[in-house]
Amino acid sequence: MHELIRDITLCILFAWMLGLLAHFSRQPLILAYLIAGFCIGPFGAGWVKSEESIRVISELGLIFMLFMIGLEIDLKKIVRAGKVILFAAGGQLLGGCLLGVLFFVGIGLSLGGGHFDAIYLSVACALSSTVIIVKVLYEKRELDTLPGRITLGVLVLQDIFAILFLAVQPSLANLQASVILLSIGRVAVLVAAALLVSRYVLPRLFHQIARRPELILLGALAWCFLVAETAERLSLSREMGALIAGVSLSTFPYALDVTAKVTTLRDFFITLFFVALGMTIPVPGLSVIGLALMIAAFTVVSRLVTTFTPLYMMKQGLRASLLPALNLAQISEFSLVVIQTGVAEHHIAAETANAASFAFVVLAVLSTFVMTRSDEITRWAIGPLKRIGLRDLDHGNGHAEEGHEGGHGEARRIVILGFFRAASALLAEIERQTPVLLEQITVVDFNPNVYQTLLSRGLHVIYGDISNVDTLLHAGIGKSEMIILSVPDSLLKGATNEKLVRHVRALNPTALIVATADLLADVGALYEAGASYVTVTRVSDAHELFTVIEAAQAGLLADKRAELDQRLGERREVLP
């Protein structure tokens, strides 16, 4: 027992020190935890040698990590997932697994006879890292963009796929239909029971203890370990039970409260899991390094093929098809979980598991670098893709020239460059007050959903990247009378409002240019760049809030709300 406490102390100490280095060098923290485990483990300095300590630390971390993954799976979002996300995820998962089996069997890995290295690697390579993707997309403010939403939707469905694999995994050595159905039946019983209890029993209990944070936390942990132990009794794994416990809690009213209170513990035990995993990784030989590089290369290539293809076939355009493929091009933390369960069941060789761990590390570093520069990479790739014959959404509109964005005729009298919520609200307001004005407006944007929706409503829209000067030139904005820039700098890719104003003013010296400023300090710079008028969203927001205060003080807030509700009901916005 004292040895276990000492080992945990070393794990946390080294994870913290290397975590600091990773933070300052902008590398993934998981990479630091794996290296920390290697340094203190039996293949490093040898300060932690006890196999029992490593096993206990790893299992605890794994249970907590899967419990938290379950808590973050939103079943309602899965039900509401659009056909684009469903087809993209289906194509990526099924295509990735099929290509994986063919590739890994082709390079000599086992498939049968009690050894399933090819299957485990295929599944592991089909899953992407939620931790890395969400962190980078959040920092880039791209979670709410179309490629961001597609990426997150695919991640959620990947988690569901992993759950199904973990249900079948104990039966891999005896893949008979009856055995598989029995395993799935056990999972279904456990899921149904957990969902019923979390729907009808737990809310009442948690309501009674809602003001006692320590009991909320303790209740969540009790539920986690109860379902985990029940899964063990049903010949499933404790890890599988923890995942189901988290999913069941995600559906009830106190899910956010539970998540907030368990997050600190989650971070602690996830750290322990990855440190413990690092302890099991030996110094790699050339064969392990070679296999790891092949796994990493296959993951990137297969993700580009299996993600880009279904999105492109569903007419999402080159950019919105490429970005999710780049975002998803790494191996998931969940993949390491799958691999470790395979090691525990003696389904996969230790050398193969070690190679998968090294591939995870390589891709964690590379994908972080690629995602931060995904817009530049996408812009560079679109030209060659067009030259080999792939058509973008601007194809066939009559005025697009080879190598340039544009199309659907030249711009009209009023041009909206970039289309997000402010532009959506503007079009709805024009439609409500002066519908005839819509015939004089052109929208330039590269969101395929916006493009298709505006076309279906009969508006003039040009598909193109507004940060590209050639797009502006070939769209013909030099002849327009008013150009509106309503997308804030924080959401623009490859440009700023100031840079766009300068480009537009150079192409059209006489047009009225309306730009948007994020900061008050940006207003002067935009006027110097050539803007005719600058809007500051916070000023109009402040005016609206002030009228709300006035209405509340006059006892007219209900009337004001009714008026707003009526106005909202009359609007047909492109972006809700």
Side-chain angles (χ1 to χ4, degrees), residues 27 31 124 164-165 208 227 287 328-329 377 389 438 465 510 532 548:
Q27 296 301 319
L31 175 60
L164 295 175
F165 179 78
Q208 297 298 321
V227 180
S287 61
L328 294 163
I377 294 171
L438 292 176
D465 181 357
T510 61
S532 308
V548 171

Side-chain angles (χ1 to χ4, degrees), residues 234-254:
L234 290 173
S235 300
L236 301 169
S237 65
R238 289 190 178 92
E239 293 80 5
M240 181 74 184
L243 188 65
I244 292 171
V247 172
S248 64
L249 278 190
S250 71
T251 64
F252 90 125
Y254 296 93

Side-chain angles (χ1 to χ4, degrees), residues 331-372:
I331 293 176
S332 172
E333 313 79 37
F334 216 152
S335 299
L336 301 183
V337 173
V338 169
I339 293 291
Q340 288 305 303
T341 57
V343 172
E345 295 285 341
H346 306 290
H347 287 170
I348 181 171
E351 183 176 282
T352 306
N354 292 334
S357 298
F358 277 105
F360 170 84
V361 171
V362 170
L363 290 175
V365 176
L366 291 179
S367 68
T368 302
F369 175 83
V370 168
M371 285 182 67
T372 55

Side-chain angles (χ1 to χ4, degrees), residues 319-468:
R319 182 179 182 275
S321 301
L322 272 174
L323 281 175
L326 293 175
N327 292 341
L328 294 163
Q330 72 285 121
I331 293 176
S332 172
E333 313 79 37
F334 216 152
S335 299
L336 301 183
V337 173
V338 169
I339 293 291
Q340 288 305 303
T341 57
V343 172
E345 295 285 341
H346 306 290
H347 287 170
I348 181 171
E351 183 176 282
T352 306
N354 292 334
S357 298
F358 277 105
F360 170 84
V361 171
V362 170
L363 290 175
V365 176
L366 291 179
S367 68
T368 302
F369 175 83
V370 168
M371 285 182 67
T372 55
R373 294 161 179 79
S374 58
D375 292 294
E376 295 94 319
I377 294 171
T378 301
R379 287 191 183 91
W380 172 85
I382 284 176
L385 288 174
K386 285 185 174 182
R387 283 193 286 274
I388 65 173
L390 294 181
R391 298 175 175 179
D392 211 345
L393 295 182
D394 58 356
H395 178 81
N397 287 328
H399 289 266
E401 296 187 20
E402 186 177 356
H404 299 296
E405 306 283 354
H408 201 66
E410 286 192 344
R412 295 178 178 174
R413 189 170 71 85
I414 301 173
V415 179
I416 300 175
L417 290 183
F419 195 92
F420 202 57
R421 293 196 178 100
S424 176
L426 173 61
L427 283 188
E429 193 67 21
I430 292 173
E431 184 178 41
R432 190 176 72 89
Q433 296 201 37
T434 319
V436 69
L437 189 59
L438 292 176
E439 298 175 3
Q440 304 176 43
I441 292 177
T442 292
V443 175
V444 183
D445 194 72
F446 55 28
N447 183 322
N449 288 349
V450 166
Y451 179 77
Q452 298 293 350
T453 303
L454 291 178
L455 278 182
S456 68
R457 293 190 181 184
L459 278 95
H460 188 250
V461 55
I462 296 175
Y463 181 84
D465 181 357
I466 63 171
S467 68
N468 187 334

